[in-house]
Amino acid sequence: PALLVAHSLGGLVALKHAEIGITECLGLVLQSPGPPQNVVGGYNFPSYGTRRPVPPPTKELIRTLYFHDVEQEVLNTVVDLVCEESPVFLNSASRNRIDVDPSRISDPVLVLSASLDVVQGLNSGLDYAIAITYNAEYKVLRNMGHFCLLEKEWLNPVKIIRDFVYQKFGTGL
């Protein structure tokens, strides 16, 4: 059994994993999770053509979309890791085509929302809607962007995750 900790589209994958139950899932921590089809107010990004991979965004766009307060070295590392993406996957995720049945998610769930998250939509309520749909605890990370765990104040969300783990599982996880 595992506690799944996931970010962005990885949050959607973690929810689907917990729904299907391939392996036992003790709980979920979802930071700015991608919204499943059944969550009201999901993404509405433009669709990509499927003939070729979607090129990576520029460094400036990465900073704007994903960060609020990040060290230059961290930003450079992220930019170096970004690659072309599958348009089929991006279309499925960004157009809310993946469904996750809330009745099949019984694990303790924590949803973390970054207050300055441009991807999820500033103050869009999307992360809150995901938390409500999956009966999750909900916490807002003030003054943080989409990739909050890579920002200068990364320890703040880590403390929230630690407290959630201790509250739900004690120290024996």
Side-chain angles (χ1 to χ4, degrees):
L3 172 70
L4 300 180
V5 180
H7 172 260
S8 195
L9 293 178
L12 181 56
V13 172
L15 278 167
K16 195 67 177 172
H17 176 85
E19 175 198 38
I20 294 169
I22 295 170
T23 59
E24 185 179 349
C25 179
L26 293 174
L28 299 167
V29 176
L30 309 173
Q31 197 269 306
S32 300
Q37 183 179 38
N38 52 311
V39 173
V40 175
Y43 298 139
N44 193 17
F45 296 137
S47 293
Y48 296 100
T50 57
R51 299 182 91 186
R52 58 182 74 101
V54 177
T58 64
K59 182 177 188 175
E60 294 75 26
L61 188 56
I62 289 170
R63 178 186 286 282
T64 300
L65 289 178
Y66 301 116
F67 294 103
H68 170 65
D69 190 18
V70 65
E71 299 282 353
Q72 189 64 40
E73 182 179 329
V74 172
L75 178 63
N76 291 339
T77 299
V78 169
V79 169
D80 290 343
L81 293 172
V82 174
C83 61
E84 293 181 332
E85 293 283 349
S86 160
V88 174
F89 177 74
L90 289 175
N91 288 337
S92 293
S94 66
R95 304 301 291 171
N96 301 79
R97 295 183 180 148
I98 299 170
D99 190 33
V100 179
D101 182 358
S103 71
R104 302 207 45 191
I105 307 295
S106 60
D107 312 307
V109 180
L110 171 64
V111 173
L112 299 176
S113 179
S115 69
L116 300 177
D117 187 343
V118 175
V119 174
Q120 301 290 84
L122 298 174
N123 302 311
S124 71
L126 179 57
D127 293 333
Y128 183 70
I130 293 169
I132 293 298
T133 301
Y134 296 97
N135 195 32
E137 289 187 36
Y138 174 75
K139 302 281 184 185
V140 176
L141 307 168
R142 302 281 175 218
N143 299 315
M144 298 194 92
H146 188 72
F147 279 137
C148 70
L149 292 172
L150 297 177
E151 293 197 358
K152 291 178 185 175
E153 299 297 322
W154 63 271
L155 198 52
N156 293 336
V158 169
K159 288 177 182 175
I160 293 170
I161 294 168
R162 178 204 60 203
D163 292 347
F164 173 78
V165 169
Y166 284 160
Q167 175 191 14
K168 298 299 180 186
F169 307 105
T171 58
L173 181 63

